[in-house]
Amino acid sequence: MADLQQVIGAILRDLAKARFSSDLYSRSISRYYENDYLLRKFPVPRSEIEEVEIDLKFSIADVVDSSVNTEGREANVAFRLERTVESLVATLLDLACDYSEASADSETQEQLRKVFTKGFRSTALRIELRQKALRYLIESYTHLIDENGTFNSERAIAGLLKPMKWGFQEYRAEGVPESEGYTVLDPLFDYVFKQKAFRNKVESLVDPIRDIWRHNSDTQLEIEVSGQKLAELSEAAISSIKIKAVVRNHVWTEVKVDERTYRHALTSE
């Protein structure tokens, strides 16, 4: 028996290998075309696979829990992080506005107006902060969530400080040096990250992530695909799935990175 994903993966892999074998043959005969006076005037034959449709028949032998495949669990955690980040950034910007407007220090208010001339309601800033925060949480989730699904909210809050500051730094007014931006941001973030409204947003991830970890186990679908086995089964026990594969061709090209640096990259043909 094999997993359904293994069978489908083998089919798609063999399509790529078939094209590879065909290209190797075309390469071999191209030398004859090059060296033959008459053949040189003809194009070298090369087969192309544009689209393949396969109707796969199989029987489900077993559905078992998988302790190895965790893609489904990780996808659900990523979705939860994304939804929470939306609210988290909105709360951060609201608190930043409160800090700016309520600050008794006139010099601090003037510095904030100078560094962030557009205020804290810009859509561009909101998007930048969302991207920075979400990237940090997704890239660091293995350090933030233990094997039992416990989310370390304190570590997450501490880790969010740097990417959030970077997001603000990229939004500062033109001509304002980075050092001046940090001078203004340090007290602002010190205020925001201590507020219960902000911390609660991060801490609200603890219970949902624990539930996802405990109740969203991944499964493996074990199947039978051999003709002899399928012939012994009734029609009701046989399932089918249509696989439509499109083969996209890529070629190596030289891409300019800067004035002196080039790199090779695969691009669509």
Side-chain angles (χ1 to χ4, degrees):
M1 287 186 295
D3 292 346
L4 178 60
Q5 63 179 350
Q6 291 175 318
V7 175
I8 295 176
I11 292 172
L12 298 177
R13 179 200 63 208
D14 285 353
L15 288 175
K17 289 175 70 175
R19 175 59 190 273
F20 174 56
S21 298
S22 174
D23 285 344
L24 286 177
Y25 182 75
S26 295
R27 182 190 67 174
S28 298
I29 63 174
S30 68
R31 296 169 184 150
Y32 293 99
Y33 278 70
E34 181 183 15
N35 295 321
D36 187 282
Y37 173 76
L38 185 58
L39 284 176
R40 195 182 303 160
K41 298 178 181 180
F42 293 89
V44 178
R46 177 173 180 260
S47 62
E48 292 188 1
I49 306 172
E50 293 185 356
E51 189 174 283
V52 177
E53 186 169 319
I54 299 170
D55 190 6
L56 176 66
K57 302 291 185 182
F58 62 93
S59 173
I60 299 175
D62 200 4
V63 179
V64 296
D65 287 336
S66 171
S67 59
V68 178
N69 300 325
T70 58
E71 292 88 351
R73 185 173 66 186
E74 291 172 5
N76 287 330
V77 169
F79 176 75
R80 170 60 65 176
L81 292 175
E82 184 177 6
R83 295 295 298 271
T84 301
V85 161
E86 296 273 349
S87 178
L88 179 68
V89 169
T91 301
L92 183 146
L93 292 175
D94 286 342
L95 292 170
C97 287
D98 293 344
Y99 174 83
S100 176
E101 294 169 1
S103 177
D105 186 349
S106 58
E107 183 179 348
T108 298
Q109 289 183 338
E110 181 59 33
Q111 283 182 311
L112 285 168
R113 280 193 290 268
K114 176 184 175 183
V115 176
F116 305 105
T117 55
K118 298 178 184 178
F120 301 121
R121 298 297 185 188
S122 165
T123 300
L125 175 60
R126 187 180 297 268
I127 293 173
E128 185 68 35
L129 292 178
R130 281 206 311 254
Q131 292 175 338
K132 289 279 195 298
L134 185 58
R135 183 178 301 142
Y136 161 74
L137 290 172
I138 289 179
E139 290 180 354
S140 306
Y141 89 94
T142 54
H143 301 292
L144 300 175
I145 306 172
D146 67 19
E147 58 184 11
N148 297 316
T150 302
F151 178 72
N152 192 325
S153 58
E154 287 299 323
R155 182 179 294 176
I157 291 171
L160 280 167
L161 182 60
K162 186 178 291 185
M164 290 295 199
K165 280 189 176 181
W166 285 343
F168 270 85
Q169 281 284 19
E170 293 180 14
Y171 181 69
R172 68 185 186 278
E174 188 175 351
V176 176
E178 187 173 332
S179 58
E180 188 170 343
Y182 278 121
T183 300
V184 178
L185 287 177
D186 285 342
L188 184 150
F189 273 94
D190 185 56
Y191 167 81
V192 170
F193 273 58
K194 287 180 179 178
Q195 297 305 304
K196 192 173 181 179
F198 178 82
R199 301 181 69 85
N200 283 349
K201 292 295 181 182
V202 181
E203 291 167 0
S204 69
L205 286 165
V206 174
D207 290 339
I209 289 177
R210 184 184 293 113
D211 289 340
I212 290 172
W213 225 255
R214 293 177 178 175
H215 306 301
N216 283 260
S217 61
D218 289 278
T219 57
Q220 292 176 223
L221 194 62
E222 295 184 351
I223 63 171
E224 290 281 4
V225 293
S226 64
Q228 182 180 354
K229 289 285 187 180
L230 294 180
E232 297 171 357
L233 301 173
S234 66
E235 188 176 339
I238 298 176
S239 303
S240 66
I241 184 172
K242 280 195 174 181
I243 305 166
K244 192 172 183 180
V246 177
V247 178
R248 303 192 186 280
N249 301 319
H250 292 76
V251 293
W252 284 106
T253 56
E254 196 172 56
V255 179
K256 186 175 182 180
V257 179
D258 52 44
E259 287 188 9
R260 300 181 180 180
T261 307
Y262 291 82
R263 64 179 175 85
H264 287 86
L266 280 172
T267 56
S268 296
E269 198 175 41

